[in-house]
Amino acid sequence: MKELSFTTKVVHSGRKDDRAFKSKATPIYQTSVFSFDSLEQLEGYFEGETPYLYTRNGNPNTDELAQVVAALEGAPDGVAVSSGLGAILAGILAVVKSGDHIVATEDLYGGTYHLVKEELLNLGIQTTFVSFADTEAVEAAIQPNTKLLYTETITNPFLRVENIPAVVELAKKHQLISIVDNTFATPFLLQPYINGVDLVIHSATKYIGGHSDISAGVVTGKQELIAEARKRVVNMGLNLSPFESWLACRGLKTLSLRMERQSRNAAEVAAFLQAHPQVKTTYYPEYVSEAGKGAMVTVELIEGTDMSRFFSSLGWIKIVPSLAGIETTVSYPKGTSHRSLTEEEQMKLGINERVVRISIGIEEAKDIVAQFKAALAVSR
Ligand SMILES: Cc1ncc(COP(=O)(O)O)c(C=O)c1O
């Protein structure tokens, strides 16, 4: 496609044409397998003449999702996976094998932390966790068997914005592969592949889908690494269903509109919270990109706040242990995303019972602010 602006690409990239009936929307290819009229035709699949054999190996809907996200990241290829965590597994195993070592950021998403600390360790893959805010510490953690630097563009729950050029420089210097989870930023804000990251991963469950109605993931990046990731998806059965791929593509079409609106709302809510006497600290990025700062705001409320009262006084703002839907929601990192960390690990990251992560939706900003104001007033 001729170089189009981001939002036009969101709407038009990757669509699978329906030649038979010319449907405007991509049909849902809800089939587990494809059929052939002759042995020659079947052989043609293996020769690359026809694209589909069996949905675990590939399907027009999953390919559409992968290709759109890859186009938005500026990457040549991608593969859709059954969840964000599945995408992280496929991406990491595209790079490392038993005996290899990973250096990962210490403020990693909890699910990724358990994946590497438990499952990958059982497969003989070791990980060192280190603060990626400290480039020297990252470099010091690199061992002769290190293959991978792994981090996130915007971290959870304190929304630290990663220094991607520094990560890329370090990876290049030590001939390592870099993987970045871009879930919180989305390609609307940041496109790490363009800055030299090798693989970029999304939990499409979040902003890509945007409507809290699917579990899905996508890995995008260098062709040869995506070929490896795709092999893991096929061999390990990590494929995404055609229907969920279709829902993800449908949700994705409004990514720019949602991100613009949600980011604008987030700026207003963050300003209100920052100035509120019951808010000890507001975590809201100073800068992410020219496109905005994203739609997440995290706060630590002051000591003595009745947290139970606060959470149950939020009315239509529900407690939801996820993010990125069109509705404003709050999550409680200590009790959900970071629940399985020890008290000491939680303290080290700064997570206590007064930390609240807010995912800002598309409602009117003044209504969101009014709801937080009311909840804070009764929880003093
Ligand atoms: C940054 C990040 N990456 C990955 C995941 C995992 O995604 P999924 O729940 O789709 O497996 C999450 C889920 O919350 C996340 O926040």
Side-chain angles (χ1 to χ4, degrees):
M1 191 182 288
K2 192 166 142 277
E3 203 43 45
L4 296 170
S5 60
F6 182 84
T7 301
T8 310
K9 273 206 273 187
V10 173
V11 177
H12 287 282
S13 297
R15 195 169 51 226
K16 296 286 175 196
D17 282 337
D18 158 32
R19 290 197 203 105
F21 300 113
K22 296 268 178 208
S23 70
K24 180 165 181 286
T26 303
I28 306 172
Y29 292 88
Q30 192 65 35
T31 181
S32 61
V33 68
F34 297 81
S35 61
F36 300 86
D37 294 328
S38 67
L39 286 179
E40 288 72 24
Q41 229 182 46
L42 175 64
E43 195 55 28
Y45 167 78
F46 295 97
E47 304 291 330
E49 287 161 18
T50 57
Y52 300 113
L53 174 80
Y54 189 60
T55 279
R56 176 156 52 76
N57 297 62
N59 174 289
N61 296 112
T62 55
D63 279 358
E64 176 170 329
L65 174 62
Q67 284 159 16
V68 180
V69 177
L72 300 184
E73 289 287 358
D77 206 358
V79 59
V81 194
S82 56
S83 67
L85 205 53
I88 292 165
L89 175 65
I92 292 179
L93 290 184
V95 178
V96 299
K97 58 180 182 346
S98 183
D100 290 342
H101 175 252
I102 302 169
V103 180
T105 187
E106 65 180 6
D107 45 2
L108 209 52
Y109 162 63
T112 312
Y113 178 76
H114 288 291
L115 171 68
V116 295
K117 202 181 165 205
E118 294 166 25
E119 306 306 328
L120 296 190
L121 188 61
N122 284 337
L123 297 177
I125 298 157
Q126 289 198 321
T127 301
T128 301
F129 300 96
V130 58
S131 167
F132 268 49
D134 180 352
T135 311
E136 281 175 19
V138 179
E139 188 156 31
I142 295 170
Q143 305 175 6
N145 61 340
T146 304
K147 291 281 162 27
L148 173 64
L149 296 185
Y150 187 100
T151 188
E152 299 169 359
T153 41
I154 302 179
T155 63
N156 173 26
F158 295 117
L159 312 176
R160 182 179 65 79
V161 182
E162 189 58 272
N163 182 349
I164 296 297
V167 174
V168 169
E169 196 184 313
L170 212 51
K172 292 221 163 95
K173 181 174 167 195
H174 293 272
Q175 293 171 340
L176 306 175
I177 298 293
S178 54
I179 300 186
V180 167
D181 181 334
N182 198 26
T183 298
F184 273 43
T186 85
F188 179 81
L189 294 180
L190 292 172
Q191 296 156 355
Y193 182 82
I194 289 174
N195 287 317
V197 167
D198 298 297
L199 286 179
V200 178
I201 294 180
H202 285 278
S203 166
T205 313
K206 308 297 187 315
Y207 289 109
I208 299 290
H211 294 74
S212 316
D213 52 8
I214 55 163
S215 252
V218 182
V219 190
T220 64
K222 283 191 174 150
Q223 208 114 42
E224 63 276 16
L225 290 174
I226 292 298
E228 285 301 315
R230 188 174 287 118
K231 242 194 248 175
R232 303 293 100 76
V233 170
V234 174
N235 292 343
M236 296 174 144
L238 298 174
N239 55 298
L240 181 62
S241 78
F243 183 51
E244 289 196 274
S245 308
W246 186 88
L247 279 173
C249 288
R250 179 178 139 132
L252 180 54
K253 286 188 192 302
T254 56
L255 178 72
S256 294
L257 297 179
R258 286 185 280 112
M259 288 305 285
E260 276 164 17
R261 169 79 178 210
Q262 287 171 255
S263 302
R264 213 169 45 238
N265 281 352
E268 278 195 45
V269 176
F272 162 76
L273 292 168
Q274 235 147 18
H276 199 287
Q278 269 167 274
V279 179
K280 186 174 175 189
T281 316
T282 302
Y283 299 90
Y284 177 64
E286 267 183 28
Y287 181 80
V288 178
S289 77
E290 277 175 20
K293 299 183 185 183
M296 300 298 297
V297 182
T298 297
V299 287
E300 181 182 343
L301 301 183
I302 56 170
E303 279 161 41
T305 304
D306 183 339
M307 293 308 294
S308 179
R309 194 92 200 272
F310 172 76
F311 277 111
S312 54
S313 305
L314 282 167
W316 50 267
I317 300 178
K318 299 295 176 200
I319 306 166
V320 171
S322 186
L323 64 137
I326 54 170
E327 305 88 355
T328 296
T329 57
V330 288
S331 88
Y332 181 53
K334 187 172 169 61
T336 54
S337 55
H338 294 71
R339 188 186 187 96
S340 54
L341 299 190
T342 63
E343 189 85 16
E344 201 185 346
E345 287 170 326
Q346 289 179 346
M347 293 291 277
K348 187 166 178 236
L349 294 175
I351 292 163
N352 62 38
E353 67 289 349
R354 288 173 286 106
V355 172
V356 183
R357 192 189 72 191
I358 309 164
S359 173
I360 303 291
I362 63 169
E363 306 93 344
E364 286 293 338
K366 67 175 172 25
D367 293 335
I368 307 170
V369 166
Q371 200 61 55
F372 279 112
K373 195 173 180 180
L376 285 166
V378 296
S379 54
R380 264 197 284 259

